[in-house]
Structure formats: structure tokens, C-alpha cells
Amino acid sequence: MQSSNKSLISFFVWAFAFSWAFWGIAVLGSLGVFTLPFPNMVLVIIGAHGPLVSSMALTYKAGGWTAVRKFLRSGFDLRLGLIWWLVILSLPFLLAALAVQINVAQSGFQPDSTLLSEPLLILPTFLMLFFLGGSFQEEFGWRGFALPRLLEKWNPLIASNVLGAIWGLWHLPLFHIADTSQAFMRFDVFVFLGIGFSVFFTWFYLKTGNNLFTALLFHTAINTSISLFPPIEQRVGGDQTAFLYLMVFYALLALVLILANRSKWFEPPK
């Protein structure tokens, strides 16, 4: 247990250090401290690899390249039942569409329909977001490395909440970088939404026999759904009501999941 605690702390320290080092440069560029010779998104994408780099480095340290290869393969186990494919892929799109449409009906909100108007681009966008939009870069760290170790310490509910909060905090510099979607979001709503997401990540992971691919797939579906049905206006002071609705929807569904299987969520670590 002590070794697990040490590796968990090391993972978080190095993941934050790697990501915030690159993102910190982008923050300074956005503040006009200096002019970058390339777009901010270059540093944003590189920095997003912090959880991946940290988890792979610690895995290599513990077991060498054999352990790294095994770890990587664990993230691409596509042997999921059809029901899991359907739930994981459809849930984010249904909730994002519902949140946006309610806001449209209530306030006349006009969401960006660029991707929705070009359906042939949805699959390429999905694949791009899988590898460069956070899923591959993050989930080997958050759900592949950190979650199993947190589950050794706490029950699934506490582990999910702790990881969700840390995950949200890790994104903080992005809220101060020009051209990121987070630059127009409320940080508090984002963090609470991340905690809601985290409950679903844990649920999918445990229900599929600790299949890490569910995390990569769900993360990609979330990001693609937000690209297809943007819940915020990309401008300072823009309408964020649909984003708030989205947080509430995930929170309510997470509560249903927890109440429907209380014994599992509050089960002490083995």
C-alpha cells in the first residue's frame, strides 16, 4: 500500500508538472508577456500529454518495456458488449443535444452548428479527438494509472470524486490560454461537471471488468458531443446556460447510478 501511495503521488506531481510547464508558457503568451512563434494550441496539445507521459514513465520504472507494452494494450481492448458501445457512445450526445435544445427553446440561444452541418466530418473529428483531444493523452493516466490505485484506498464513490476534482484542477491553466474552449467556460461548473463525468468513468470501468478502453471511448464521445452541440458561446460573457444544464444532467444521472447500486459504490477497498 505504501508503494502504491508513493507511485500515485508521483503520478499526480509529474502529470501536473509536465502539463503546467507547457501550458504556463502558453498562459504567458496569452497575457502578452512575449510573442510565441507558433499557435497556443501547439503547447496545449503537448501539455495534454502529461498524464500519459507520467503514467508510462512510472510503469516503465516498475516493470520496464514489457509492462509499458502491456499497459498500452490494456487501453485498446475493444471486446465490449454491444450495450456498452451503445451507452458509452450515445449518452454524451443525447445529454449535450438536450442541454442545448432546452436553452434554444427557453432563450433563443443560437449554438455553433458548424460540425452539425457537415456530418461527414463527425467521424474524422471523433478520431482526431481520440488521439489529440484528450482521450489518449489523458486516460492512461487518470483511469489507467490513478483510478486503480485510488480504489485500493477508498470506495468507488470517494475515488471517483477525488479523481474528478483533481482532473478538473489539472485543467486550470487552459482557462487562461487564448483560443481554448475552456477560456470561455466557468471553472466551477467545469470542475463539477468533471466530477459527474468521473462517476460514469468509474462505473463503465468497473462494470466491464476494468476495461480501460471504456475511458478512452467515453472521453472521446464527451468531447465530440460538445463539438457537435456546443453548450457555450465562444466569446467573453457568452451564454453558458446549456453548459450549466449539462452539468446538472450528468449530476442527476450520476446520483441515480449511485442510489441504484449503493452497496457497490460504498463498498470498502479490498
Side-chain angles (χ1 to χ4, degrees):
M1 179 66 75
Q2 184 176 1
S3 176
S4 179
N5 288 340
K6 183 178 179 181
S7 64
L8 187 60
I9 293 172
S10 296
F11 163 73
F12 287 128
V13 168
W14 288 110
F16 272 73
F18 183 99
S19 299
W20 284 21
F22 286 99
W23 292 349
I25 297 171
V27 169
L28 294 176
S30 297
L31 293 174
V33 176
F34 47 71
T35 301
L36 293 171
F38 43 75
N40 285 328
M41 290 309 296
V42 173
L43 292 172
V44 169
I45 291 173
I46 294 174
H49 286 79
L52 177 67
V53 171
S54 180
S55 61
M56 291 300 171
L58 291 168
T59 299
Y60 174 80
K61 180 181 178 181
W65 288 114
T66 300
V68 170
R69 287 192 293 269
K70 181 179 179 181
F71 188 32
L72 279 171
R73 285 196 300 269
S74 72
F76 292 92
D77 184 356
L78 310 186
R79 295 171 296 177
L80 296 175
L82 179 60
I83 185 63
W84 293 115
W85 282 95
L86 293 175
V87 171
I88 292 171
L89 287 174
S90 63
L91 181 66
F93 291 94
L94 291 174
L95 294 184
L98 181 61
V100 168
Q101 289 308 310
I102 290 176
N103 196 28
V104 169
Q106 288 185 334
S107 67
F109 172 61
Q110 295 298 316
D112 183 351
S113 60
T114 301
L115 183 57
L116 190 61
S117 66
E118 298 287 347
L120 292 179
L121 294 179
I122 296 176
L123 180 57
T125 298
F126 186 94
L127 294 175
M128 184 273 291
L129 290 174
F130 185 96
F131 290 103
L132 295 176
S135 304
F136 180 79
Q137 299 151 298
E138 296 182 37
E139 290 308 332
F140 280 95
W142 304 132
R143 255 55 66 164
F145 193 91
L147 180 59
R149 289 163 175 80
L150 288 171
L151 290 171
E152 293 177 0
K153 296 167 57 66
W154 296 307
N155 65 48
L157 181 58
I158 294 177
S160 299
N161 288 337
V162 169
L163 185 55
I166 293 173
W167 182 36
L169 177 62
W170 173 78
H171 286 85
L172 180 59
L174 298 180
F175 288 77
H176 304 283
I177 299 175
D179 303 325
T180 64
S181 58
Q182 285 86 357
F184 303 99
M185 296 178 182
R186 281 179 49 181
F187 180 66
D188 56 344
V189 176
F190 182 89
V191 171
F192 281 113
L193 185 57
I195 293 173
F197 288 153
S198 193
V199 170
F200 283 90
F201 277 115
T202 300
W203 186 58
F204 293 139
Y205 178 79
L206 294 176
K207 285 291 187 177
T208 58
N210 301 352
N211 189 320
L212 178 56
F213 178 67
T214 59
L216 280 81
L217 190 64
F218 187 53
H219 196 143
T220 310
I222 290 170
N223 289 347
T224 308
S225 71
I226 291 174
S227 297
L228 191 64
F229 303 105
I232 60 171
E233 289 183 311
Q234 298 284 308
R235 63 180 180 83
V236 177
D239 192 329
Q240 297 196 24
T241 308
F243 190 50
L244 183 61
Y245 289 156
L246 193 62
M247 181 200 73
V248 172
F249 292 158
Y250 273 101
L252 290 175
L253 280 179
L255 182 60
V256 170
L257 280 181
I258 294 165
L259 293 178
N261 201 355
R262 291 188 295 274
S263 61
K264 184 65 177 179
W265 284 101
F266 292 97
E267 184 179 43
K270 299 176 181 179

